[in-house]
Amino acid sequence: MILRLAAAAAAVALLAAPALAAPREGAKLDRIAKDFVRLTLEAGEREPGYVDAYYGPADWAAAAKARPREVPALRAETDRLAAALKAVDGKALRPDEVRRKAFLVGQVKAAQTRLAMLAGQKFSFQDEAEGLFGVRPPIKPLGAYDPILAEIDKLVPGQGDLATRVTAFQARYTIPADRLEPVMKAAIAECKARTEAHIALPKGERFDLAFVTKKPWSGYNWYKGGAQSLIEVNTDLPTPISRAVDLGCHEGYPGHHVLNALLEEKLTKAKGWVEFSVYPLFSPQSLIAEGSANYGVKLAFPGTEKVAFERRVLYPLAGLDPATAETYDALVRATADLASVQNTVADLYLSGKMDKEAAVAALAKYALTTRAKAEKSLSFIETYRSYVINYNLGQDMVRAHVERAGPSLDARWKRMEAVISQPTTPADLAR
Ligand SMILES: [Zn+2]
C-alpha cells in the first residue's frame, strides 16, 4: 500500500514537474566535486605540499588523515572521476556549470598526472607541465636570451661580468632589514587600496604578515579560509625595493589573498561548490593563481605608477635615495623578459641534460643574479619542477586575456575579477 501510494505520488510529481523527477545534470557535478575533495585530501597525506589550502569540513580532513588510500587506489579514483565527468552531458548544464565542469576536468587530469609521478612515472618537462597545469610551455634555447642581455649591458655600463655588475648595482637598492616591515606594510596597503577601488572585497577579509627564513621561495600566501591569509616573506636573501610592491600585489591584492577570498565567497559559499575549498598546488588553478598574481602588479600600477609610488613613499621609508628610482626601475623592467629562462633551465636540468653546477651558472648568467640567488632558484626548481611556468607563461596568458578587454582600466579590472572569482581554466584565457 505504502509502495503504491509512493509510486502514485511520484507519477503525479512527474506529470506536474518533469524537471524534478530526474536529478539535474548539474547535481552529478556536486557528487564528483565531493569525491574530488576527498581524493585531494588523501593525496595530500601521500605527498607533503600536495594540498596548498583547505578550509572545507574539518571531518573530511580528519577522515583523509585517518585512512588515506594508497597511491594505486587514488590513481584508480582519478580515472573513475575523469570518466564520470566525461559522462556529464554539457548540453544539460547551466553556463556557470559548463565552466565548473571544465575546471574539474583540468583538476582531475592534474591529479592523474601528479599521482602517476608519485608512482614513479617519468614525464618530459613539457608533458609534465601540460598534465599538471593544462598548457604546453614553449621552451626557448638559452641563446634566445642573449639579445636581452646585450640590451641590459647598455643600462649597466662597466667592465667585467654582466651578472656581477647588475647584482652590484642592485645591492644599492636593498631594503635594510630593520625597514623591511614598514616598507612591506606600506606596499601592501597601497596594493589593497588600488584593488578595492575596482573589486568589492569580501567583508572582514584580512591577512597577517610574517618574516621567515630557510624556504625555497621568496614569498608565500597561506590561505586559511574565512577570507584570511598568512603572508610570509622570506628574508634569506636581501629584498630589493622593487620586490615590495611585487610581493604586496602577488601574495595579497589583487593576487593570491583576493583570488582565494573571492573563490570562497562566490563559489564555495554562494554556490556550495566544495571543490574550491581545496587547492591542490600542482593543478591548472596554480597557472591562474600565479599568472593573475604576477599580472596584478601591472594592473594595479599601470605605466609608470609603480616607480612613482616607490619613489614617493617606499624609497624614503627604506632610507634609499629617491632621485635614482627611475634608473633602477629601467633595469627591473629590462630584466622582466628574462623570466622564462627558468623554464629552459628547469627543462635542461630536470631532464639530466645539464648538471647542477651548469644550471646554477646558467641561472646566474641569464637571470642576472648572484650565485646565492641562483642556488635558491635551483632549489625552487628541484622542489616545484615545472611549476615555474605558472609565473611567466601564466602571466603572459592572463595579461593577453585581460588586455583584450581594451585600453579602459575599468574594463580590464572587470575581466581580472572574472578570472579570479569564477572557475577559470588556461583554455578560458585564450578567449
Ligand atoms: Zn604565488
Side-chain angles (χ1 to χ4, degrees):
M1 194 67 169
I2 291 165
L3 249 171
R4 272 178 65 104
L5 263 179
V12 169
L14 219 117
L15 284 170
L20 289 177
R24 276 192 340 96
E25 199 67 6
K28 292 182 185 167
L29 293 177
D30 290 335
R31 281 194 297 277
I32 294 168
K34 224 170 178 176
D35 290 340
F36 171 74
V37 175
R38 291 213 166 97
L39 163 89
T40 305
L41 293 173
E42 290 178 41
E45 296 300 320
R46 297 290 170 208
E47 188 192 23
Y50 186 104
V51 176
D52 188 70
Y54 175 66
Y55 54 81
D59 56 331
W60 292 13
K65 210 175 185 62
R67 290 175 300 281
R69 280 165 285 183
E70 300 284 346
V71 170
L74 291 171
R75 291 185 72 186
E77 174 69 350
T78 57
D79 294 343
R80 186 187 72 78
L81 291 177
L85 278 167
K86 213 169 178 181
V88 174
D89 180 8
K91 289 188 219 72
L93 296 174
R94 298 189 311 250
D96 63 334
E97 290 171 335
V98 170
R99 281 186 80 128
R100 183 187 191 193
K101 178 185 165 180
F103 180 85
L104 276 166
V105 166
Q107 297 296 96
V108 169
K109 168 90 183 149
Q112 285 176 311
T113 308
R114 191 72 196 172
L115 287 164
M117 289 168 70
L118 274 183
Q121 200 168 317
K122 301 270 182 262
F123 293 94
S124 74
F125 183 81
Q126 286 173 306
D127 286 346
E128 178 189 312
E130 193 172 5
L132 295 176
F133 307 114
V135 59
R136 193 167 190 82
I139 305 289
K140 293 187 215 166
L142 280 177
Y145 297 95
D146 285 328
I148 303 169
L149 294 187
E151 285 304 308
I152 295 168
D153 197 89
K154 291 180 204 157
L155 289 175
V156 190
Q159 296 298 308
D161 175 59
L162 178 62
T164 310
R165 267 185 281 146
V166 167
T167 51
F169 181 85
Q170 271 177 329
R172 308 209 300 263
Y173 295 88
T174 297
I175 306 168
D178 63 334
R179 307 304 301 153
L180 196 54
E181 188 165 353
V183 170
M184 276 309 307
K185 283 190 167 159
I188 299 178
E190 182 70 13
C191 298
K192 179 173 174 168
R194 285 166 181 256
T195 301
E196 257 179 335
H198 297 277
I199 295 178
L201 299 176
K203 265 199 177 57
E205 60 77 24
R206 59 178 296 275
F207 69 90
D208 290 313
L209 179 66
F211 296 93
V212 298
T213 55
K214 299 191 173 59
K215 306 288 179 192
W217 36 257
S218 60
Y220 212 111
N221 178 294
W222 304 98
Y223 190 66
K224 305 291 183 189
Q228 304 198 13
S229 288
L230 169 63
I231 296 176
E232 289 188 333
V233 175
N234 184 5
T235 58
D236 283 345
L237 296 172
T239 307
I241 189 81
S242 67
R243 289 286 293 152
V245 163
D246 289 353
L247 280 166
C249 284
H250 183 105
E251 309 297 345
Y253 306 83
H256 296 330
H257 170 65
V258 172
L259 172 137
N260 282 294
L262 288 177
L263 292 178
E264 180 181 16
E265 180 187 59
K266 295 185 186 301
L267 302 182
T268 312
K269 286 188 177 157
K271 297 186 188 232
W273 290 1
V274 290
E275 67 273 32
F276 289 92
S277 68
V278 73
Y279 177 173
L281 189 66
F282 297 97
S283 69
Q285 191 168 359
S286 281
L287 183 114
I288 305 301
E290 301 299 359
S292 59
N294 268 358
Y295 176 65
V297 183
K298 285 166 193 71
L299 185 63
F301 294 84
T304 55
E305 288 184 30
K306 181 172 180 263
V307 67
F309 169 71
E310 289 168 342
R311 189 184 53 218
R312 185 169 51 82
V313 178
L314 300 187
Y315 274 67
L317 261 181
L320 299 172
D321 179 9
T324 62
E326 265 84 8
T327 317
Y328 178 51
D329 186 62
L331 174 68
V332 171
R333 279 185 286 111
T335 54
D337 291 337
L338 295 169
S340 53
V341 159
Q342 304 283 333
N343 306 5
T344 306
V345 174
D347 175 31
L348 293 169
Y349 176 66
L350 295 172
S351 63
K353 292 187 197 109
M354 189 179 247
D355 67 18
K356 194 163 188 159
E357 186 50 42
V360 170
L363 285 170
K365 177 179 175 186
Y366 286 99
L368 293 170
T369 60
T370 58
R371 194 183 158 86
K373 205 157 172 228
E375 281 169 352
K376 190 68 112 184
S377 292
L378 196 68
S379 118
F380 186 96
I381 287 168
E382 285 170 335
T383 309
Y384 297 105
R385 301 177 57 91
S386 60
Y387 193 94
V388 292
I389 70 154
N390 295 326
Y391 298 99
N392 50 77
L393 184 56
Q395 174 174 218
D396 292 346
M397 291 173 71
V398 171
R399 179 200 284 130
H401 174 73
V402 169
E403 295 187 356
R404 268 196 292 276
S408 145
L409 266 183
D410 280 342
R412 289 182 177 184
W413 274 99
K414 225 181 187 77
R415 253 195 180 205
M416 177 72 150
E417 184 176 3
V419 168
I420 60 176
S421 63
Q422 292 179 20
T424 304
T425 65
D428 292 324
L429 298 179
R431 296 189 189 105

